[in-house]
Amino acid sequence: MLKSLKKDRVLYLMLLPTLLFFLVFHVIPILGMRLAFYDYRIKGDNIFVGLKHFEKLFSTPVFFQILKNTLIISAMKIFLFFPLPIMLAIMLNEFRSGPFRKGVQIVSYLPHFLSWVVIAGIWIEFLSPTTGVVNLFLNQLGMESIDFLTDKSTIRWVLLASESWRSIGWDSIIYFAAILGIDATLYEAAKIDGASRGAVIRHIILPELVVTMVTVLILNIGFFMNAGLDQVLNFTNAAVNSRIDIIDTYVYRVGLGSSQYSFATAANLFKGLVGTTLIVSTHLLSRRLTGKGAW
Amino acid sequence: MNRKITPAKVIMAFILSFLALTMLVPLLNILAKSLSHPDLVHGLKGYHIVPRGFSLINYQVILAQPIVIRSVLNSLFITVTGVILNIGLTASAAYVLTRPKLAGKKAFMYFLIIMMIFDPGIIQEYFLMKNIGLLDNLWAMVMYKAVNVYYLIILMRFMENIPASIVEAATIDGAGHMNILFKVMIPLCKVPLLTVGMFYGVYRWNEFFHSSIFLTAKSNTVLQVLLRQFVVQSDTQVIVGAANILANNNIAQLDNGSLKAATIVVAIIPILLLYPIILKYYTSDVLSGGVKG
């Protein structure tokens, strides 16, 4: 070990800044999470209180509502959104490479690169009860305008819709690349058999996409505890917050907003442990089933 | 693929066009709104993509606000300095971790993967910045997320594929590791480095949550945070200024929606400038219709 340290000292020196970065900006804060087991003191040493903050957390009814919101919003985003990029990729593949297909692709990838602040700004306009396109359309149908952003029954659907709008194009890339990679002889064989386009999609394209689908689905489940902090912060308001308040927004509000540092750290540690377990197990499961892991 | 025009294909063309329009029309609508004449903008509906009349007054007003200029400069500083740091650290770490005989490589990789999946959370990050005196210092946001392990792994995959003989030849010529990294590896990895740099850049330009916590002084505001106060939280004062509102002068009488639209456009422009490069390098194979082996 010492010998190789000496021989490769330049290499280790080149790695040092990265290691230092993680030690300072990552390891120190992770170690700081032990605050969950202490009472925070502004002056003097923090006092060890064991599981007090966790007991408080699990006896706080609001926390269960927040956990429920997190799980519902994640489930909507993972399962209801899941088929959309696949459908987009399959439809794109039905058109020859040309200005139409390229145009749709270029436009549909773009929202992925916009910040949630910008997307929220666009969607506030989009859903505006007076000038927004959606409500103008509803008015045309003889219906009254709906204020989607302040209505408790619609707000989660707004999160799903805006997430889909942002990600459908970008997430279709992996499926589209998989379709382009399908062996051309399969198509020729189908042609000789006189298969219809529908049959080709059902019996050639979809089966070829299964591995990608399973990988994407499993790995997304690994991020179940992250329901989308940046998005919620930009779409939330007093009227609907109880429906879309998630663990991350709760930790932020309780911790930095009302200075309950220890309690919020306990909530954050709970989320971190569950989340890490999920990511590691879905990674291992995916690697076992499809040979592809999260990293 | 299929050259025949069938009813199914017509329906698909319709669906795809509709999808593209839901993305294009709101963006063009915002542009139209920002360029419309203040007296005519009230007739502009959500589906209009051509400005009503023409005026640059909204841009003149927001770009005359010191806070807007300040926040754009802050965002640019964090993005540019941050990406240089990102690329420097990521490229050298990827180079080191792809050297075949490095002792302890596996341990380093495990460490980095733990760093990737376990996030310390905002409270401890806030305390850290406070303790090391970086709170309300733009460098806090430059240092934050200086290495993304996922991008590091992507870069390692590329460097692994560079034939060992090239590096060996350079070593025989007497080049040290730093020389090999800068004169051999980086030129050979131009495309993946540019791609990864682009993703780092987009992330940094778009970041708002940590900026809003680490940078609280007005002079340190970044553009996304200002945009959020103005557009999402409808705090007109941050842009128009309390004095102008009180005096109800020309600025305060401008259409708020148009001012917001102009600010959104300013925040999108750098992304639109980078977007063709992203398309060229990252998605060129799916756009041209062939997968590179």
Side-chain angles (χ1 to χ4, degrees), chain A residues 243-254:
Chain A
R243 299 278 288 185
I244 56 171
D245 200 11
I246 55 175
I247 300 178
D248 285 330
T249 48
Y250 183 67
V251 168
Y252 164 56
R253 198 178 57 246
V254 175

Side-chain angles (χ1 to χ4, degrees), chain A residues 12 15 18-19 22 283 287 294-295, chain B residues 89-90 92-100 102-118 147-157 160:
Chain A
Y12 292 109
L15 191 59
T18 301
L19 291 179
F22 278 113
H283 164 75
R287 219 168 48 176
W295 52 85
Chain B
L89 291 185
T90 313
S92 43
Y95 173 76
V96 174
L97 293 170
T98 46
R99 291 315 89 210
L102 186 79
K105 195 160 80 174
K106 215 164 180 187
F108 288 131
M109 282 317 293
Y110 274 118
F111 171 73
L112 291 174
I113 283 167
I114 294 170
M115 295 296 100
M116 177 167 73
I117 55 184
F118 199 89
V147 179
N148 179 320
V149 178
Y150 189 68
Y151 297 159
L152 171 68
I153 293 173
I154 290 177
L155 215 49
M156 284 174 62
R157 299 262 152 86
E160 272 161 5

